[in-house]
């Protein structure tokens, strides 16, 4: 968070967009220098939501820190929990400790993670359409997200910050009837997505509005650290669930959609429409993964720490003191690759926690990408990059 | 013995097979191979690791940009993506526990790794780079003295480093000569101190607003425990 000195040459107008502008998806301030409607310079000003979660991580133990990872990215809290627990488990494994996550817990993590990816992508595509002026798709997305929240509420009692994935498993087994409920939801969602795509994705006005807008090439996308759907929208074929499968992702069949000039003749690979469509296609892939997970999940066992049918391994004696070592663990979150760098000097709490999030690096391309666009286009670009501010500021 | 009819046992769950995936690229290297390539070119780079977990390469600050350019541009490495750049303050990192005296019957360890020279300081930066095409990755660390912490900026090689370095500058107070726009990014411009340093003192107030409740102390409770442990 800082004040910025701008040149006062009289020709440009300085416009402060945010921090309370609804289309900045949180408290982000963009300092624009505009010539009429055209932006000459764009300087993101962040930090309004900085809580120093990395510092907190040095004072709480690894189990307590799961609660804070909820707040790193509350649009996909399940995936944030999971990424942190994955880092801790990998450190424990590196020290040779026998921490075995039960098979059923791994499937529950996949189900929770993919359902949260669905709800996160629904918010992303719905909010992007709303920012441009189409309100109905947003309501369609939010209505489906409510159903995911209902499932999560029965699963773990919370609707937004779940604290569900724990070191060594998950906090609760699937509730009675949960599998049927998820299967019914997936069917409903599939029907609704067809309606959603007919209304907005295939809409000629919407497509024409976004075609060729703010394209990001593959080399730029890598150099500026874009990850996830933003990187795949630029045509870079990367998905950690497929390339470096963690958990049980190696047991599922799914495709990795890439940006492919979906907007037609006026489109450019990696434009806003490509990023939008990649998210819409990933929704269908998540449905596929959830269905396979439901078919493969082992039946519940009586004991929570059963290595097949349990849901929570007993890790308390292994996490009282962390092994002396460090790991950097990447996982595929809805907003792309999230990295947790965990260093421990053998104490009770981590020595250093560094959280690398997709939204923070996505903001770094703004100063290059935005100049020359119109103010209304900036709103579309923010939506297409799916920036979530708590994840930026941490 | 009960007369209840035997319930047929549910079929045992079998582990589903792994699905076919695109093969790992032929050029994918492990840490040892990457380390050998880098150290062949830069003999001053040291290969380090803690008791467990992932190793890293310790790079002298003055060679950092050359090493980064090498790992990015060499076709065998092609680490074009800077996944993560994070600062650290190693000043309270506990030394390894003293080794137990070896039992008389056990043979002395034949080849204990030679101790590495101490780093030039306890502040620093860790660079986690990777290649999307070759699917390998590498970690570098640069140490810099606390008296005048300074590391050359990597933002010309990796544009994304610009934001990461602003964060490190803000939270650790490390200067990055060569950075075009080195300002605080999370904290306000007039914030005092660098919060992620281990010796950071929590301010009483900011801009006339009290930051602590009456009687609240940050030198007791979990904070005191953590710092006392780190000191011992």
């Amino acid at each position: 968070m800082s004040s910025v000195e701008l040149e006062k040459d009289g020709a440009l107008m300085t416009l402060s967009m945010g921090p309370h502008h609804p289309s900045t998806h949180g408290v982000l301030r963009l300092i624009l220098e505009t010539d009429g409607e055209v932006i000459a310079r764009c300087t993101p000003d962040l930090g309004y939501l900085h809580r120093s979660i990395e510092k907190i991580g040095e004072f709480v133990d690894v189990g307590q820190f799961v609660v804070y990872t909820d707040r790193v990215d509350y649009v996909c809290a399940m995936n944030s929990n999971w990424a942190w627990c994955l880092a801790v488990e990998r450190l424990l494994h590196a020290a040779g400790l026998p921490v075995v996550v039960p098979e059923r817990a791994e499937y529950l993590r996949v189900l929770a993670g993919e359902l949260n990816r669905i709800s996160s992508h629904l918010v992303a595509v719905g909010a992007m359409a709303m920012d441009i002026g189409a309100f109905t798709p947003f309501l369609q997305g939010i209505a489906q997200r409510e159903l995911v929240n209902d499932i999560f509420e029965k699963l773990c009692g919370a609707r937004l910050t779940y604290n569900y994935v724990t070191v060594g498993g998950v906090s609760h087994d699937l509730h009675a009837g949960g599998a049927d409920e998820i299967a019914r939801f997936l069917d409903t969602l599939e029907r609704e997505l067809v309606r959603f795509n007919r209304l907005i994705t295939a809409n000629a006005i919407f497509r024409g509005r976004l075609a060729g807008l703010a394209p990001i090439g593959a080399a730029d996308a890598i150099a500026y650290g874009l990850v996830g759907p933003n990187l795949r929208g630029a045509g870079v074929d990367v998905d950690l669930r497929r390339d470096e499968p963690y958990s049980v992702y190696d047991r599922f069949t799914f495709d990795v959609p890439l940006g492919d000039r979906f907007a037609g003749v006026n489109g450019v690979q990696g434009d806003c429409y490509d990023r939008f469509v990649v998210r819409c296609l990933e929704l269908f892939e998540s449905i596929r993964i959830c269905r396979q997970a439901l078919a493969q999940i082992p039946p519940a066992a009586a004991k929570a720490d059963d290595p097949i049918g349990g849901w929570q391994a007993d890790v308390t004696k292994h996490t009282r003191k962390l092994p002396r070592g460090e790991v950097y663990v990447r996982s595929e979150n809805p907003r792309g690759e999230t990295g947790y760098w965990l260093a421990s000097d053998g104490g009770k709490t981590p020595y250093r926690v560094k959280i690398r999030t997709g939204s923070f690096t996505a903001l770094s391309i703004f100063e290059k990408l935005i100049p020359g666009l119109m103010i209304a286009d900036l709103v579309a670009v923010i939506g297409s990059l799916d920036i979530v501010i708590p994840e930026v500021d941490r | 013995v009960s007369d209840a009819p035997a319930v047929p046992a549910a079929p045992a769950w079998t582990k589903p097979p792994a699905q076919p995936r695109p093969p790992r690229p032929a050029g994918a290297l492990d840490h040892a191979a990457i380390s050998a390539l880098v150290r062949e070119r830069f003999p001053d780079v040291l290969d380090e690791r803690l008791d467990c977990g992932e190793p890293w390469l310790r790079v002298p600050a003055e060679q950092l940009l050359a090493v980064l350019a090498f790992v990015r541009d060499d076709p065998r490495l092609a680490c074009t993506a800077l996944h993560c750049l994070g600062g650290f303050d190693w000043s309270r990192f506990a030394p390894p526990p003293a080794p137990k005296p070896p039992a008389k019957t056990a043979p002395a360890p034949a080849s204990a790794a030679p101790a590495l020279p101490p780093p030039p300081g306890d502040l620093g930066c860790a660079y986690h780079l990777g290649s999307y095409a070759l699917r390998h990755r590498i970690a570098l660390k640069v140490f810099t003295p606390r008296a005048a912490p300074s590391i050359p900026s990597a933002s010309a090689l990796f544009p994304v480093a610009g934001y990461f370095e602003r964060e490190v500058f803000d939270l650790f107070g490390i200067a990055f000569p060569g950075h075009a726009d080195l300002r605080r990014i999370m904290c306000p411009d007039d914030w005092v101190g660098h919060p992620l340093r281990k010796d950071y003192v929590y301010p009483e107030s900011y801009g006339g607003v009290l930051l602590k409740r009456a009687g609240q102390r940050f030198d007791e409770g979990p904070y005191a425990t953590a710092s006392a442990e780190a000191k011992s």
Side-chain angles (χ1 to χ4, degrees):
Chain A
M1 188 160 49
S2 67
S3 57
V4 177
E5 286 295 318
L6 297 171
E7 296 113 313
K8 303 270 189 295
D9 59 1
L12 299 176
M13 185 178 80
T14 304
L15 180 69
S16 190
M17 186 167 161
H20 296 299
H21 193 287
S23 76
T24 52
H25 296 233
V27 279
L28 168 68
R29 176 173 171 232
L30 296 170
I31 302 162
L32 308 178
E33 268 188 279
T34 59
D35 178 6
E37 280 287 309
V38 180
I39 300 167
R41 210 166 105 192
C42 169
T43 313
D45 180 15
L46 35 137
Y48 290 90
L49 214 50
H50 180 59
R51 296 144 292 172
S52 214
I53 288 180
E54 293 175 4
K55 184 85 172 178
I56 295 171
E58 297 172 7
F59 292 108
V60 298
D61 71 36
V62 292
Q64 291 171 320
F65 190 62
V66 175
V67 187
Y68 292 95
T69 61
D70 278 330
R71 276 80 182 167
V72 170
D73 185 353
Y74 48 60
V75 185
C76 59
M78 289 284 187
N79 299 78
S80 304
N81 292 169
W82 193 3
W84 167 248
C85 294
L86 208 59
V88 176
E89 283 156 14
R90 209 161 286 177
L91 180 66
L92 298 177
H93 286 158
L97 295 172
V99 174
V100 180
V101 181
E103 291 279 350
R104 186 171 169 86
E106 292 283 22
Y107 282 98
L108 290 173
R109 287 175 173 192
V110 168
L111 280 170
E114 291 303 323
L115 285 175
N116 213 171
R117 187 185 311 275
I118 287 170
S119 71
S120 169
H121 277 4
L122 285 171
V123 171
V125 293
M128 180 180 174
M130 182 176 72
D131 290 347
I132 299 176
F135 196 71
T136 311
F138 178 68
L139 294 181
Q140 283 182 327
I142 288 292
Q144 296 304 306
R145 179 168 178 264
E146 278 303 297
L147 302 179
V148 179
N149 286 354
D150 289 344
I151 293 172
F152 284 160
E153 191 175 4
K154 287 181 193 162
L155 184 64
C156 63
R159 293 175 70 85
L160 191 69
T161 48
Y162 309 107
N163 190 18
Y164 179 62
V165 180
T166 57
V167 178
V170 293
S171 67
H172 298 76
D173 192 15
L174 193 60
H175 53 281
D180 292 339
E181 196 180 349
I182 295 173
R184 273 200 310 277
F185 163 71
L186 295 175
D187 294 342
T188 316
L189 177 70
E190 207 166 33
R191 278 199 310 275
E192 284 297 318
L193 282 179
V194 172
R195 286 178 61 202
F196 178 91
N197 287 334
R198 208 163 53 207
L199 178 67
I200 189 76
T201 314
N203 183 309
I205 303 170
F206 185 73
R207 188 163 51 181
R209 173 81 175 76
L210 297 177
L213 178 60
I216 302 174
D220 265 354
I222 294 175
Y224 280 90
L226 294 193
V227 285
N230 298 335
L231 186 62
R232 293 191 280 273
V236 183
D237 191 8
V238 175
D239 190 322
L240 294 176
R241 292 174 293 169
R242 181 198 62 190
D243 298 339
E244 294 179 20
Y246 49 95
S247 186
V248 290
Y249 273 119
D250 55 344
R251 299 178 195 167
F252 306 124
T253 309
F254 60 96
D255 293 327
V256 178
L258 299 179
D260 192 19
R261 280 185 67 185
F262 291 115
V265 284
N266 294 327
V268 181
Q269 191 182 41
D271 61 8
C272 284
Y273 191 72
D274 273 4
R275 291 191 283 274
F276 181 90
V277 174
V278 163
R279 286 200 179 82
C280 291
L281 293 174
E282 284 188 5
L283 284 166
F284 289 103
E285 299 305 324
S286 288
I287 294 176
R288 276 175 80 185
I289 294 175
C290 282
R291 287 201 172 124
Q292 293 172 61
L294 284 175
Q296 294 180 5
I297 188 168
K303 276 167 50 193
D305 58 352
D306 186 278
I308 301 290
W311 58 92
Q312 172 70 66
D314 184 8
V315 296
T316 42
K317 61 177 181 291
H318 301 309
T319 53
R320 239 169 252 151
K321 272 197 132 183
L322 289 175
R324 191 169 183 275
E326 70 167 62
V327 286
Y328 178 70
V329 175
R330 306 150 70 203
S331 67
E332 188 73 33
N333 280 21
R335 260 157 292 288
E337 178 190 318
T338 295
Y340 274 81
W341 175 37
L342 164 62
S344 157
D345 63 349
K348 289 176 183 162
T349 59
Y351 185 83
R352 170 86 171 105
V353 179
K354 164 77 188 159
I355 310 169
R356 179 260 199 266
T357 57
S359 297
F360 180 74
T361 49
L363 266 185
S364 73
I365 203 171
F366 268 48
E367 286 169 50
K368 176 181 190 299
L369 188 67
I370 301 301
L373 297 181
M374 306 189 72
I375 293 176
D377 292 341
L378 171 59
V379 176
V381 174
I382 296 173
S384 80
L385 289 171
D386 190 14
I387 285 167
V388 168
I389 301 303
E391 203 194 32
V392 174
D393 292 344
R394 301 186 297 286
Chain B
V1 181
S2 94
D3 294 336
V7 178
W13 182 78
T14 50
K15 192 171 157 179
Q19 297 297 313
R21 291 284 189 260
R24 205 171 163 75
L29 303 174
D30 58 1
H31 175 79
I34 294 176
S35 168
L37 276 176
V38 175
R39 296 181 63 195
E40 181 193 351
R41 177 80 178 270
F42 300 96
D44 293 343
V45 171
L46 301 173
D47 200 331
E48 267 188 301
R49 68 184 306 156
L50 290 170
D51 301 357
C52 65
E54 296 167 2
W56 68 85
L57 298 177
R58 192 209 292 175
V59 180
E62 59 275 11
Q63 290 186 3
L64 172 70
L65 295 187
V67 173
L68 284 176
F70 175 69
V71 300
R72 186 189 68 165
D73 297 333
D74 190 283
R76 293 166 296 179
L77 297 171
C79 292
T80 50
L82 178 61
H83 292 315
C84 181
L85 191 165
F88 57 78
D89 177 356
W90 235 231
S91 60
R92 292 185 186 168
F93 200 83
K100 288 175 190 159
K104 280 177 186 164
T105 50
S111 60
L116 296 173
D122 50 20
L123 286 175
C125 259
Y127 301 74
H128 293 269
L129 302 120
S131 167
Y132 288 130
L134 297 177
R135 282 203 240 151
H136 55 222
R137 74 191 164 82
I138 174 177
L140 310 176
K141 274 189 191 166
V142 180
F143 289 83
T144 182
R146 183 172 289 262
S150 167
I151 296 173
S153 169
S155 53
L157 293 165
F158 297 94
V160 67
Y163 263 45
F164 280 135
E165 286 172 352
R166 277 181 67 186
E167 192 184 345
V168 176
F169 169 75
D170 186 357
L171 303 179
F172 287 94
I174 298 174
F176 290 93
H179 193 294
D181 185 24
L182 198 61
R183 293 178 287 122
R184 282 193 184 263
I185 191 166
M186 296 295 177
C187 301
D189 277 347
D190 55 351
W191 194 260
V192 178
H194 304 289
L196 279 187
R197 283 201 185 182
K198 291 285 177 181
D199 54 0
Y200 177 67
V201 179
Y202 289 81
E204 296 283 336
S205 66
Y206 171 70
V209 179
L210 279 181
L211 297 180
K212 294 176 183 172
R213 287 180 223 105
Q216 188 182 12
R217 295 176 60 178
F218 283 114
D219 55 351
E220 59 186 20
Y223 299 93
T225 320
S227 57
E229 265 174 20
K231 273 176 199 155
S232 62

